[in-house]
Amino acid sequence: MKSFLSLSRAMALGLLRDRAAVFFMLVFPLMFLAMFGALFGSDSTPRAEVVQVGNVKVFDAMPDSQRSALHGVLKIEKTGGSAAARRDALAQVRKGDVDAAVFQGDGKAVELRYSAADSARAGNVRAVVNSVLQQANQAATGQPPAYRLATKQVEDESVKPIQFLTPGLLSWAVAMGGVFGSALNLVSWRKKRILRRLWLSPVTAGSVVGARVGVNLALAFAQTAIFIGLATLPMYGLRLTGHWWLSLPLVACGTLAFMSIGLLIGSWAKTEEAANGLAQLIVLPMAFLSGSFFPLEIAPAWVRTVSDFLPLTHLAEAMQSVMTRGESWGAALPVMGGLLLFAAVVTLIASRFFRWDDA
């Protein structure tokens, strides 16, 4: 126990003194959470800006109540009806200063001109204007619509992008800490011949491994506390569900799984530069392919197929299930078992390459 505590203290102090390691394992992932949380903090629909050229009966006759209801999604600016005004309005649309121009000729047809440069905003303004026209048609005929569509999201109305970002980015941070911490530490201790001295000393291999696991688990739990503390601030508004605490055993299992990857890298690499490069080559693509930064529903089929084989994918999905979707042991236990099995297999492979000394 004395050897275990001494080694744990030495490893922890070595980690804290390495400013680069502290930055990339703790501060760097938090920067992503703060940045993405601020960028995607609002899930509201942007308001479309439309130039009304001359008189358009459907807009001019719009009741004040309907105009007020549209104010949040549609801003209408009326100009003169001359040919010059029409050309000016179309020029504004081409330059992107407004989203669309609408005008009405001698007949009843209402013409809408928009740019294809931004398909999302174009689709938004088309849908809003079409809705206005449909309501005007119904009012003109005096017949109510035969069918009505009632829509409601399945989540609570307060759901924000932070509900997705926090579990995914926290999983990525755990992966970073597990891989980089064990890989770089192993290579560094081998180069400094610390591993050789430990091998020749009465310290057992179990104490060395246990100390390394303990330090990584402490780092992972610290990351979890900091992430949740930041994300639950009113500025970001993360709402945890009742079984969020299951993220802790998931973090522990994920740490062991990614430590095994770091052990494999550290056992094979001969220099810290090689270990760092291999770790980057594994962790960064895995972060994007696993959906830690954004959902993969719109990704190509081959990306989703590759994602199914990545441990980070299953960790991130399980973390989201227990932290924000209200799921319980049924979502956590299979993933925990899979991560532990993954850790055992990769650790066994790493043991074939492990060496106490460079010689």
Side-chain angles (χ1 to χ4, degrees):
M1 179 58 69
K2 185 177 180 180
S3 301
F4 169 77
L5 294 176
S6 299
L7 285 169
S8 297
R9 182 175 181 274
M11 291 180 182
L13 289 176
L15 174 64
L16 294 176
R17 288 169 182 166
D18 189 344
R19 296 181 179 179
V22 172
F23 174 79
F24 281 105
M25 293 182 191
L26 284 175
V27 181
F28 190 58
L30 280 173
M31 289 172 56
F32 274 80
L33 178 66
M35 179 179 65
F36 286 159
L39 287 175
F40 304 114
S42 174
D43 55 359
S44 59
T45 303
R47 186 167 64 161
E49 297 186 19
V50 174
V51 175
Q52 176 185 332
V53 181
N55 296 323
V56 178
K57 186 176 181 180
V58 66
F59 288 114
D60 294 337
M62 188 183 302
D64 292 338
S65 58
Q66 186 179 357
R67 189 178 295 273
S68 298
L70 283 175
H71 183 71
V73 295
L74 188 66
K75 177 183 177 182
I76 303 174
E77 180 182 351
K78 186 174 181 179
T79 64
S82 64
R86 179 178 297 191
R87 287 194 300 269
D88 183 63
L90 294 176
Q92 292 184 62
V93 176
R94 292 190 187 97
K95 291 188 295 183
D97 295 336
V98 295
D99 297 305
V102 61
F103 48 88
Q104 185 172 5
D106 296 334
K108 294 184 179 181
V110 176
E111 300 188 35
L112 181 70
R113 297 289 185 268
Y114 58 89
S115 172
D118 190 336
S119 58
R121 294 186 68 87
N124 180 47
V125 70
R126 288 173 60 189
V128 173
V129 173
N130 184 62
S131 175
V132 173
L133 294 177
Q134 291 299 326
Q135 292 185 37
N137 289 333
Q138 293 168 10
T141 60
Q143 297 293 327
Y147 302 98
R148 293 183 182 273
L149 176 65
T151 62
K152 188 175 182 180
Q153 63 187 46
V154 295
E155 301 89 357
D156 184 81
E157 292 180 358
S158 61
V159 168
K160 298 180 179 180
I162 196 69
Q163 303 291 103
F164 170 83
L165 290 172
T166 303
L169 292 177
L170 175 56
S171 300
W172 172 57
V174 169
M176 290 263 292
V179 173
F180 282 87
S182 55
L184 297 180
N185 182 258
L186 184 57
V187 173
S188 175
W189 279 27
R190 187 187 300 116
K191 285 183 62 178
K192 296 176 181 177
R193 304 182 75 86
I194 296 176
L195 283 181
R196 180 178 175 82
R197 289 195 289 270
L198 290 174
W199 180 34
L200 298 175
S201 71
V203 177
T204 63
S207 297
V208 178
V209 174
R212 183 70 258 177
V213 170
V215 170
N216 272 73
L217 286 176
L219 171 66
F221 290 141
Q223 288 174 321
T224 304
I226 296 171
F227 262 75
I228 293 177
L230 177 65
T232 51
L233 291 175
M235 176 181 177
Y236 298 108
L238 173 67
R239 293 197 174 190
L240 298 171
T241 58
H243 291 89
W244 71 268
W245 56 270
L246 283 173
S247 62
L248 299 179
L250 280 168
V251 164
C253 294
T255 299
L256 295 177
F258 290 105
M259 278 189 67
S260 68
I261 298 177
L263 179 61
L264 178 59
I265 294 173
S267 299
W268 184 84
K270 294 182 178 181
T271 64
E272 292 175 329
E273 290 77 12
N276 181 64
L278 283 172
Q280 295 278 8
L281 190 63
I282 292 173
V283 174
L284 287 182
M286 188 186 300
F288 287 99
L289 293 175
S290 66
S292 295
F293 294 97
F294 47 80
L296 295 179
E297 283 80 3
I298 59 174
W302 69 266
V303 173
R304 296 195 297 271
T305 301
V306 172
S307 177
D308 290 337
F309 292 93
L310 302 177
L312 185 53
T313 300
H314 301 283
L315 176 61
E317 289 180 353
M319 292 279 282
Q320 187 173 12
S321 296
V322 300
M323 290 180 70
T324 62
R325 291 176 178 167
E327 297 186 44
S328 184
W329 289 101
L333 277 179
V335 175
M336 290 165 59
L339 290 172
L340 292 177
L341 178 62
F342 178 87
V345 172
V346 177
T347 300
L348 180 63
I349 298 173
S351 67
R352 304 292 183 181
F353 298 93
F354 180 81
R355 58 194 185 279
W356 292 94
D357 201 343
D358 284 329

